[in-house]
Amino acid sequence: MLLLRTTTRRCAALRPLASLTKAMMGRAPAKPTPWRALAEQLVDEGCESIYLTRLRAQHDVRAHVDTLAEEVAEEMARALGRTTSRVDYAFACLERDRQRAHDAAAAVLRLRVPELRDELRRRGLAVGGNKPELRARLMPVATADAVEAFDAQRALCRKERQNLLIHRQALGFKTGNHGAVEKYYPSSALKPLGDFLDEAPEDDDEAPVTTEQSYRGKNWGGFRFY
C-alpha cells in the first residue's frame, strides 16, 4: 500500500504541461520557477510528503523574499560596521600620534639654554644664538619623526572618512549623510599640528645674568667675592 501511494504521488507530478500552465496562470505574478509550480500542483492535489516540504522550502520564491531581505540587510549592516570600525581605529591612532608629537615638542620647550646647546651639538648643529633661536633650530629636528607619523595617519584618516561617506551613500543614507559623519568624525580633528613654538610660555625666557649675579659669591680670577 505504501509503495502504491508513493507511485501515485510521483505520477501526479507528471501531468501534461497544459495543466501546469493553467496552475501557474492562476498564481500571483511572481515569475514562478518550474519546480515551484510542480510543488504547488502537488499541494493542490492534497499530497503531503517530507520531500515536498523540502522542495517548497527551496523553490518557493515568496517564502524566501523576507528571509533573503533580512540576510542582505544584516550583511549590509555588518559591512557598514566594519567600515565604521576602520574609521574609529584610524582616528584613535591619529589622536595617539598627535599626542606623541606634542610630547616631543614639549620636551624641547622644557630644555634650558645649556641643554639646548648640548642637544644641538649632539646632532651636529650650530649652537650659537639666544634661547628662542636655539629652540627654533632644534624643534623641527627633534619632532621630525613624530610629525611625519602624524601626517601619514592624517592622510589615512581622510581616506577612511571618505570611504565611510561613500559607503553610507551607497546604502541609501543620502539625506544628512555628510552631517552625520561630521558629527562623529569632525573635520576639525584632521587639522595640522601647527607651529610648536607657539606653545612656548611667554615668560619662559631665562633672566639675563647681571654683574652682581656673576661676581658676588663666586670665584673670579682666583679670588672670591662676597
Side-chain angles (χ1 to χ4, degrees):
M1 180 63 68
L2 179 59
L3 179 61
L4 180 58
R5 290 181 179 176
T6 304
T7 305
T8 303
R9 293 171 184 171
R10 291 178 179 175
C11 293
L14 301 178
R15 292 198 171 186
L17 184 60
S19 299
L20 294 178
T21 304
K22 181 179 180 181
M24 293 170 63
M25 293 294 291
R27 299 294 178 181
K31 294 183 180 181
T33 62
W35 285 111
R36 173 188 156 190
L38 289 170
E40 290 179 350
Q41 182 181 354
L42 291 176
V43 172
D44 293 340
E45 294 176 358
C47 180
E48 297 181 1
S49 171
I50 185 175
Y51 306 105
L52 178 60
T53 303
R54 294 176 185 173
L55 186 64
R56 295 185 67 194
Q58 294 175 5
H59 297 282
D60 192 346
V61 178
R62 290 173 296 179
H64 274 272
V65 170
D66 294 339
T67 302
L68 291 175
E70 291 176 1
E71 291 179 358
V72 170
E74 290 177 1
E75 181 57 33
M76 290 167 63
R78 283 194 294 266
L80 183 59
R82 290 190 293 268
T83 300
T84 305
S85 296
R86 285 195 294 269
V87 181
D88 285 326
Y89 180 74
F91 271 72
C93 291
L94 182 68
E95 290 302 310
R96 176 204 62 190
D97 293 341
R98 185 189 300 274
Q99 186 59 48
R100 288 178 176 177
H102 281 285
D103 290 344
V108 174
L109 296 178
R110 286 194 299 267
L111 297 178
R112 301 178 70 83
V113 171
E115 297 168 336
L116 287 169
R117 287 176 176 161
D118 290 342
E119 189 65 24
L120 288 168
R121 189 177 295 109
R122 186 179 68 84
R123 296 174 182 269
L125 300 174
V127 297
N130 55 25
K131 189 172 186 179
E133 292 173 343
L134 297 175
R135 277 177 173 172
R137 194 176 304 141
L138 179 61
M139 185 66 73
V141 180
T143 60
D145 293 340
V147 171
E148 182 179 359
F150 174 83
D151 289 339
Q153 189 63 32
R154 180 167 167 255
L156 179 61
C157 285
R158 288 181 180 275
K159 178 182 177 181
E160 294 295 349
R161 186 177 185 272
Q162 183 65 22
N163 289 341
L164 178 60
L165 283 169
I166 296 173
H167 197 159
R168 285 174 55 87
Q169 189 164 357
L171 294 180
F173 296 96
K174 298 181 180 180
T175 302
N177 184 25
H178 285 76
V181 174
E182 179 68 21
K183 177 181 178 181
Y184 294 99
Y185 309 101
S187 56
S188 59
L190 301 173
K191 63 182 180 180
L193 290 171
D195 190 354
F196 292 121
L197 295 175
D198 293 339
E199 302 176 7
E202 296 181 358
D203 58 347
D204 188 60
D205 291 338
E206 296 179 2
V209 179
T210 63
T211 304
E212 182 178 0
Q213 291 174 327
S214 302
Y215 294 99
R216 187 170 298 280
K218 296 183 180 181
N219 290 322
W220 184 258
F223 299 94
R224 187 170 184 82
F225 294 86
Y226 295 94

